[in-house]
Amino acid sequence: MWSPVVMTSITTAVGFVSLLTSQIYPIKYFGVFTAVGVLMAMVFSLVLLPAALLVFGVPKARRKAATVDDATKVRVSTTLTRGLLRHRVAVLLAAGAVIAASVVGAGQVWINSSFLDKFEADSDIVLTDKFINANFGGTSTLNVILDAAAPGTFKRPAVLKAVARMQAEVDGSLEVVGNSFSLADYLTRMNKVMHADEPAFNTIPDTSELVAQYLLLYEMSGDPENLWKVVDYEFQRANVTFQLKSDDSKALNATLAAVEQHRAALEAQGVHIKFAGSGYKGLVFTELILEGQVLSLALSLLIAIALLALMFKSVLVGIIGSVPIMVTAVIGFGILGWTGIPLSTTTALLSSIAVGIGIDYAVHFLERYRISARSTGEKEAAGAATMRHAGRAIVFNAVV
């Protein structure tokens, strides 16, 4: 057993070590520590178990007649193998249908970076967040950074009106947006106050001179430190803050899409858009998880194929052994898509675990089949013997 035990341990460890391709350190640490744990379990299995058998003794061999149970095992394994071989076209078609459905489902997988989804619905942090979102602007923020080439750009009425228009349309079209704030809000409010609170003047001033006068007035009589939170001293870079009532990726992507619709209008004024904020950080974090996971999956599959080909001295066997893992990965992502479960940190890590465990089954099955084929010289008998021995062990292992 040492050969398949070593090979399954190495391939499992490779599945976890491939997580080093991630840019996120907790995922890297998870991969390294788990890989070391798997290899140590291999050492203990190959050293401590034989030593324990020598110390405590092994069960004495007993000759016994074939029982009904043994006959049942032979009959079941033979019938299963014979049925799979006779109906292999139907089996392949059924497998193809499942894979096709899974591919369609995988195309519907959405990424979610919600921090709050990791807590129970009745936990204090979730209830507190819900209360704040119901009564205030929102707990998650998206900062739209507006960058212009020329100083003084954000004193121009046309630019300020474009910013105010963006705020109004994004805030008005999305329920998830609870509030927004920018330099345009200061000037709109000041313009209205300076005209005896007339609603008609609740707009951006029409001239750059009037804008400059309002800003000078605010710097002299108000708190200019507040002003520098929404614009820099040269009035060349501005910050528009959107408060969101949700931190999940759908809410953030919807807000980003609404802001992007105003990119052309702002760029026509010489203003470029960038994004920042706590909510946007979470979105970037999740994209890094996805990119790293896809890369680690591909890498672990390639290494697994190479190790299987080395073990069985056949590239074809290496490819055959990797098929169950690839199918498992596709079905896993298909189930996520069809059930609406998002791809998050947790579900992304599970795919690496599936690869690591799945390769073990393939190695044990192929190794047992090779031994059985050499002794029987016949495909059906070798398959039945493999099902009876490695097949039962794989089922027990999978259930555990």
Side-chain angles (χ1 to χ4, degrees):
M1 289 296 294
W2 75 269
S3 179
V5 168
V6 169
M7 185 54 65
T8 55
S9 300
I10 291 173
T11 50
T12 301
V14 163
F16 289 111
V17 169
S18 64
L19 292 173
L20 284 172
T21 56
S22 174
Q23 296 185 49
I24 299 162
Y25 278 100
I27 294 180
K28 289 177 184 280
Y29 298 152
F30 172 80
V32 171
F33 277 101
T34 311
V36 171
V38 168
L39 293 176
M40 292 309 300
M42 174 193 73
V43 172
F44 296 149
S45 298
L46 294 175
V47 175
L48 291 185
L49 288 181
L53 291 173
L54 288 174
V55 172
F56 298 107
V58 297
K60 293 181 179 180
R62 292 183 299 171
R63 296 180 63 84
K64 62 176 183 177
T67 63
V68 175
D69 185 48
D70 293 329
T72 303
K73 291 175 185 176
V74 172
R75 186 171 65 254
V76 169
S77 61
T78 303
T79 303
L80 179 59
T81 304
R82 189 176 294 156
L84 288 171
L85 290 172
R86 284 182 178 176
H87 305 287
R88 54 184 175 272
V89 175
V91 171
L92 290 172
L93 288 175
V98 171
I99 293 169
S102 299
V103 169
V104 174
Q108 301 173 22
V109 171
W110 62 286
I111 309 167
N112 189 25
S113 60
S114 176
F115 172 73
L116 291 167
D117 279 354
K118 296 175 176 61
F119 296 88
E120 296 289 343
D122 58 350
S123 63
D124 288 345
I125 189 170
V126 173
L127 295 176
T128 303
D129 185 80
K130 188 179 294 184
F131 176 83
I132 295 173
N133 287 330
N135 295 278
F136 298 95
T139 54
S140 184
T141 59
L142 173 66
N143 294 97
V144 180
I145 310 302
L146 304 175
D147 204 349
T153 298
F154 291 100
K155 289 183 179 179
R156 290 163 43 197
V159 173
L160 292 166
K161 286 180 180 180
V163 173
R165 194 179 307 115
M166 176 186 71
Q167 283 183 253
E169 291 185 12
V170 173
D171 205 342
S173 63
L174 297 173
E175 290 184 10
V176 73
V177 179
N179 195 12
S180 65
F181 194 69
S182 74
L183 177 62
D185 293 292
Y186 277 90
L187 292 165
T188 300
R189 178 63 179 158
M190 290 171 71
N191 194 38
K192 183 181 179 184
V193 169
M194 295 299 287
H195 289 86
D197 271 348
E198 284 288 334
F201 291 93
N202 192 33
T203 60
I204 299 293
D206 291 326
T207 65
S208 298
E209 291 77 11
L210 192 54
V211 169
Q213 288 178 24
Y214 284 159
L215 291 171
L216 179 62
L217 180 65
Y218 187 86
E219 289 181 40
M220 293 173 60
S221 60
D223 185 357
E225 292 302 318
N226 287 334
L227 200 60
W228 308 141
K229 294 178 182 178
V230 294
V231 69
D232 68 347
Y233 186 74
E234 299 292 334
F235 288 86
Q236 188 174 352
R237 181 176 293 172
N239 173 32
V240 183
T241 301
F242 289 97
Q243 286 181 269
L244 309 181
K245 296 180 179 291
S246 173
D247 70 335
D248 68 33
S249 298
K250 282 185 176 179
L252 285 160
N253 281 321
T255 310
L256 290 173
V259 172
E260 285 289 349
Q261 292 179 1
H262 297 267
R263 182 181 288 275
L266 287 166
E267 287 187 347
Q269 300 288 340
V271 177
H272 301 282
I273 294 177
K274 296 178 182 177
F275 298 104
S278 63
Y280 188 67
K281 246 190 323 189
L283 193 65
V284 173
F285 173 73
T286 308
E287 289 175 354
L288 289 177
I289 291 175
L290 180 61
E291 290 173 8
Q293 199 54 38
V294 170
L295 185 59
S296 68
L297 266 176
L299 184 62
S300 61
L301 281 172
L302 288 174
I303 296 175
I305 291 172
L307 289 172
L308 285 172
L310 185 65
M311 177 183 180
F312 293 102
K313 297 180 177 60
S314 169
V315 175
L316 181 60
V317 173
I319 295 172
I320 291 171
S322 66
V323 168
I325 310 156
M326 290 187 279
V327 172
T328 300
V330 171
I331 292 175
F333 284 109
I335 291 173
L336 290 180
W338 285 117
T339 56
I341 299 172
L343 184 65
S344 62
T345 315
T346 310
T347 48
L349 286 174
L350 290 178
S351 56
S352 291
I353 297 173
V355 169
I357 295 174
I359 196 70
D360 296 358
Y361 301 154
V363 170
H364 280 297
F365 195 93
L366 290 170
E367 176 72 4
R368 173 52 60 178
Y369 183 84
R370 182 170 66 171
I371 294 170
S372 300
R374 284 173 178 169
S375 61
T376 62
E378 201 272 321
K379 186 184 296 184
E380 188 173 306
T386 304
M387 287 287 190
R388 189 161 57 252
H389 294 281
R392 291 177 69 242
I394 289 171
V395 171
F396 292 150
N397 197 348
V399 171
V400 171

